[in-house]
Amino acid sequence: AAPLFAGLADADLERLAATVQRQQLAPGELLIREGDPGDAMYVVVSGEMEVTKRAGATEQPLARVGPGAIQGEIAALQGTQRAASVRAVTEVEVLRIPREGLLALLDSGPEAALALVRTVLERLRALELFVRQREKLAGLGTLAAGLAHELNNPAAAIRRSVGALGQ
């Protein structure tokens, strides 16, 4: 079970369950598309999903998640666009919790809010790590380009000198 729901009272769980919709996904099927509105969050019941983020023209993998994982909570809380895409790797079953149900859950008490804050902080840490790795790779690319330029200048001068000596 997802840790988000561990501290909830039975009445809160029943209220939440009334808003939940079950969804089945086939391998390769998209659950969340980066850039779409955050109208719900999802809890993975079974199966495995891959989380990716666009980086230029490519999709960069961020994580693989399985049963108990919560996806889409940040955009659903803020009512903003999705920051990443989530695609089924295997047959997947998820619980879709609409934004209204999520906000009602937060009104139920501090336990739910604290559990959700912990989940959001973990997600933000993972995103920060991804950004740092991208920055390091970009810096390495700049360094490699500069080094290649510095090596090519003397090599070109040597070629010109050898060509002049051959004449």
Side-chain angles (χ1 to χ4, degrees):
L4 173 61
F5 308 115
L8 293 182
D10 289 343
D12 293 328
L13 282 173
E14 288 171 16
R15 239 186 334 274
L16 181 64
T19 69
V20 170
Q21 302 157 342
R22 287 186 177 272
Q23 258 182 268
Q24 303 285 333
L25 291 103
E29 194 173 346
L30 206 57
L31 174 68
I32 294 173
R33 182 183 316 275
E34 186 175 347
D36 282 357
D39 59 348
M41 77 171 217
Y42 300 87
V43 179
V44 180
V45 175
S46 64
E48 185 177 9
M49 306 195 81
E50 181 177 49
V51 181
T52 60
K53 178 143 186 68
R54 265 181 292 193
T58 62
E59 288 284 320
Q60 297 293 319
L62 293 178
R64 283 201 176 219
V65 297
I70 296 170
Q71 296 297 301
E73 74 286 348
I74 295 174
L77 280 170
Q78 294 180 320
T80 58
Q81 292 181 336
R82 304 291 186 179
S85 295
V86 182
R87 183 179 309 276
V89 175
T90 64
E91 292 281 331
V92 172
E93 181 180 1
V94 296
L95 300 177
R96 180 182 189 276
I97 302 172
R99 184 168 193 267
E100 299 75 32
L102 179 58
L103 295 176
L105 172 65
L106 292 176
D107 283 341
S108 70
E111 296 83 11
L114 285 172
L116 191 58
V117 166
R118 279 193 292 274
T119 301
V120 168
L121 287 175
E122 287 172 18
R123 191 87 66 234
L124 290 174
R125 280 189 207 109
L127 189 56
E128 180 186 15
L129 179 62
F130 173 76
V131 168
R132 270 198 246 139
Q133 288 173 338
R134 295 286 304 163
E135 287 172 350
K136 285 180 185 177
L137 287 175
L140 187 58
T142 302
L143 178 66
L147 184 59
H149 178 72
E150 292 301 319
L151 291 175
N152 281 336
N153 281 345
I158 291 170
R159 278 195 296 274
R160 281 193 306 275
S161 298
V162 169
L165 287 175
Q167 294 177 359

